[in-house]
């Protein structure tokens, strides 16, 4: 059940060469997004493991956002397709654990995408706020 003061805890998987600079620009330009957004950098979004996403939920995150490279990825020309497969597989695992699949999102973020990042965080926070804390669902971490 959503509460008025609930601020969802979001884990962002970001890529160090493409999406991290955009997220950094949001901070440098003092664009506001929730202090409950945490960012982990990695080389390529297609390297994310669904079990990492499930681990984030086990550790108390209410949502996971993947800031993907899209077609600009220097590691794989099929990065977007691979990352999408990870999302689909993760959503399947989430359903099995009674976690609403709306708690995961992916968007391509470029190196100058400060405003889009802030917009994504605002929209995702709103969706998660409507869902309420993950602890209010039937999900029981193992």
């Amino acid at each position: 059940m959503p509460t008025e003061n609930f601020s969802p805890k979001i884990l962002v998987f970001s890529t160090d060469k493409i999406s991290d600079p955009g997220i950094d620009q949001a901070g440098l330009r003092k664009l506001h997004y929730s202090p409950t957004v945490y960012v982990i950098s990695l080389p390529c979004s297609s390297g994310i493991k669904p079990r990492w996403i499930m681990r984030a939920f086990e550790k108390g995150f209410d949502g996971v956002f993947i800031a993907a490279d899209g077609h600009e990825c220097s590691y794989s020309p099929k990065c977007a397709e691979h990352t999408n497969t990870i999302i689909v597989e993760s959503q399947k695992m989430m359903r099995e654990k009674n976690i609403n699949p709306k708690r995961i999102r992916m968007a391509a973020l470029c190196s100058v995408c400060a405003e889009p990042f802030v917009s994504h965080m605002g929209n995702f926070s709103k969706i998660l706020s409507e869902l309420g804390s993950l602890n209010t669902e039937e999900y029981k971490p193992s």
Side-chain angles (χ1 to χ4, degrees):
M1 170 172 281
T3 62
E4 215 172 273
N5 296 324
F6 174 65
S7 183
K9 195 172 164 184
I10 300 171
L11 179 63
V12 176
F13 286 107
S14 174
T15 58
D16 54 7
K17 294 200 176 12
I18 306 291
S19 54
D20 273 2
I23 295 170
D24 288 346
Q25 275 194 25
L28 291 170
R29 294 173 53 195
K30 301 187 185 324
L31 301 176
H32 178 73
Y33 60 92
S34 173
T36 58
V37 172
Y38 299 84
V39 179
I40 292 179
S41 295
L42 44 97
C44 175
S45 58
S46 67
I48 296 169
K49 308 294 183 217
R51 68 178 186 270
W52 299 353
I53 294 166
M54 298 307 293
R55 179 85 171 156
F57 292 124
E58 289 174 11
K59 290 297 181 182
F61 285 93
D62 298 299
V64 174
F65 185 89
I66 297 176
D69 286 349
H71 298 289
E72 296 180 21
C73 182
S74 57
Y75 295 100
S76 171
K78 294 189 175 187
C79 179
E81 290 85 1
H82 291 301
T83 305
N84 188 54
T85 300
I86 292 164
I87 297 288
V88 170
E89 189 176 326
S90 297
Q91 288 178 322
K92 181 181 173 194
M93 294 169 76
M94 292 167 69
R95 284 186 194 96
E96 291 171 357
K97 295 275 188 180
N98 292 325
I99 299 173
N100 190 324
K102 290 181 180 177
R103 293 185 180 277
I104 187 169
R105 292 189 76 128
M106 176 182 91
L109 279 180
C110 68
S111 60
V112 294
C113 289
E115 288 95 355
F117 173 72
V118 171
S119 177
H120 283 299
M121 289 302 101
N123 291 334
F124 194 32
S125 289
K126 184 177 177 185
I127 290 166
L128 293 171
S129 292
E130 290 171 2
L131 294 174
S133 172
L134 181 59
N135 293 329
T136 61
E137 292 186 355
E138 294 181 21
Y139 169 67
K140 303 285 184 237
S142 50

